[in-house]
Amino acid sequence: MTDAPYPLGGRRVWVAGHRGMVGAALVRRLAHEDCEILTVDRAEVDLRRQSEVEDWLAETRPQAAVVAAATVGGIQANDSRPAEFIYDNLAIEANIIHAAWRCGVEKLLFLGSSCIYPRDAAQPMTEEALLTGPLEATNQWYAVAKIAGLKLCQAYRRQYGCDFISAMPANLYGPGDNFDLASSHVVAALMRKAHEARIAGDDSLAVWGSGRPRREFLYVEDLADALVFLLQTYSGEAHVNVGAGKDIVISELAALIAEVVGFAGGLTFDPGKPDGTPRKLLDVSRLSELGWSPSTGLRDGLAQTYRWFCEYAEP
Ligand code: GFB
């Protein structure tokens, strides 16, 4: 994409959070662009420490940066570790965005989440739904931090003219996901549980909550492609939703995962666990009008994720 408004060719691009599922996918995707990819390990730079972030940026001088670093987790992790979810994320994004301005980073892409929208937002959720109602209680801490990150980008754009943009993805899954049952999101959790249930010969798979909430799932390789597209082509104060364009009921997702994994037993539902937001489907018209759409269907994405799990993550 050499005729893009911001071609990456020849540029130094920092992926903050390259060990995470999103950052790692972005590094794989950026390898197809003619750019230099910069990364730094947590042991070297703690992104929650402002001076460490400033020193790193002053030394390495990237031209573009993607804020894929974050403290993330599923519904239970969000609900039980509110201080970490709000503090870590506020600190990481404030440090990176402020230092990026000071070091003259030309383009910065901040990553949020679809949980920034009100719990009862009309579906599908347009970008304009932001701050029109109360947040979902289980992840309000993370959501507030992500809203602040988006607002930081807007503020630095308005006051200093920085080309800082934000993308809000749907629920993500794919290679590199976290399969730890206490902190994982639903896809990784159910995949691991179905895998272990098949091996153990169990007759049922435990699904948290009622199974009735609906979620939209985006394959992480598709997200990485969208992020490269936005970096190169989009400049604006408005944030951009990135989604698959359709959602699925959790009970159906569980059945689909069981099928992909080859688990033939039934499903049980645990009402002791929270359902969270009833539905989270993004309106992706803005992104499709810009010219991007996803290419991986849910079944294919789940099959590829399961192959990755069996090869690299099976405990
Ligand atoms: O993926 P998940 O943890 O995140 O849960 P959220 C989605 C739905 O799947 C919820 C149900 O209704 C869960 O109750 N679920 C069923 C399970 N079985 C399981 C299971 O074994 N593990 C898990 N984790 N869920 C998170 C937010 O919300 O999504 C974050 O807390 C972030 O802030 C992230 O926005 C994308 O979609 O509910």
Side-chain angles (χ1 to χ4, degrees):
M1 207 184 273
T2 44
D3 54 352
Y6 188 78
L8 293 175
R11 286 198 157 91
R12 297 155 61 72
V13 184
W14 176 32
V15 178
H18 69 290
R19 299 263 182 220
M21 173 172 69
V22 172
L26 186 56
V27 167
R28 288 193 293 276
R29 174 61 187 80
L30 283 171
H32 298 287
E33 301 296 319
D34 182 23
C35 61
E36 185 185 345
I37 304 166
L38 306 179
T39 59
V40 63
D41 282 332
R42 190 179 300 213
E44 215 179 309
V45 175
D46 182 342
L47 297 171
R48 294 167 302 182
R49 304 265 175 273
Q50 189 170 18
S51 59
E52 293 185 25
V53 176
E54 286 184 349
D55 290 350
W56 152 259
L57 273 167
E59 202 180 294
T60 54
R61 296 270 160 188
Q63 287 147 316
V66 181
V67 188
T71 289
V72 298
I75 193 165
Q76 182 166 280
N78 270 264
D79 205 18
S80 58
R81 293 160 39 206
E84 276 172 71
F85 275 81
I86 194 163
Y87 172 76
D88 288 3
N89 291 306
L90 284 172
I92 290 168
E93 69 208 21
N95 291 341
I96 295 177
I97 290 167
H98 187 70
W101 161 61
R102 287 187 52 168
C103 292
V105 170
E106 298 163 351
K107 184 110 199 180
L108 179 142
L109 171 51
F110 172 73
L111 256 137
S113 161
S114 59
C115 71
I116 61 163
Y117 295 114
R119 172 189 162 89
D120 296 319
Q123 307 286 320
M125 302 181 290
T126 63
E127 286 86 353
E128 285 71 33
L130 183 67
L131 295 174
T132 56
L135 298 165
E136 154 64 24
T138 52
N139 57 32
Q140 57 180 311
W141 323 98
Y142 181 74
V144 164
K146 289 298 183 182
I147 293 169
L150 172 171
K151 290 288 172 192
L152 277 164
C153 290
Q154 292 180 344
Y156 280 69
R157 171 178 285 275
R158 279 200 195 179
Q159 188 173 344
Y160 304 127
C162 300
D163 191 0
F164 293 177
I165 59 172
S166 301
M168 299 298 133
N171 283 37
L172 302 167
Y173 72 100
D177 208 343
N178 163 25
F179 287 86
D180 168 52
L181 294 181
S183 57
S184 58
H185 291 93
V186 61
V187 169
L190 292 180
M191 192 168 278
R192 175 169 171 182
K193 288 195 241 181
H195 175 83
E196 290 176 354
R198 175 171 60 78
I199 288 168
D202 294 346
D203 25 274
S204 68
L205 166 64
V207 179
W208 289 0
S210 66
R212 286 193 299 270
R214 302 181 69 93
R215 291 289 183 274
E216 175 183 12
F217 296 99
L218 180 67
Y219 190 52
V220 73
E221 307 290 341
D222 279 350
L223 173 72
D225 191 60
L227 297 180
V228 170
F229 173 81
L230 287 169
L231 266 178
Q232 298 192 96
T233 61
Y234 180 70
S235 177
E237 188 175 294
H239 61 281
V240 182
N241 289 341
V242 186
K246 51 183 152 196
D247 62 358
I248 181 172
V249 180
I250 294 296
S251 57
E252 278 176 32
L253 171 78
L256 184 58
I257 290 175
E259 204 183 303
V260 165
V261 168
F263 170 70
L267 305 176
T268 59
F269 296 92
D270 177 359
K273 297 282 193 212
D275 270 348
T277 311
R279 192 176 183 197
K280 268 195 286 188
L281 175 64
L282 292 170
D283 183 315
V284 288
S285 336
R286 183 172 288 165
L287 183 57
S288 43
E289 276 156 28
L290 288 168
W292 188 90
S293 52
S295 56
T296 313
L298 184 57
R299 182 185 292 270
D300 273 2
L302 290 173
Q304 291 180 52
T305 306
Y306 187 51
R307 275 197 289 278
W308 186 90
F309 171 80
C310 292
E311 195 164 349
Y312 300 106
E314 193 194 354

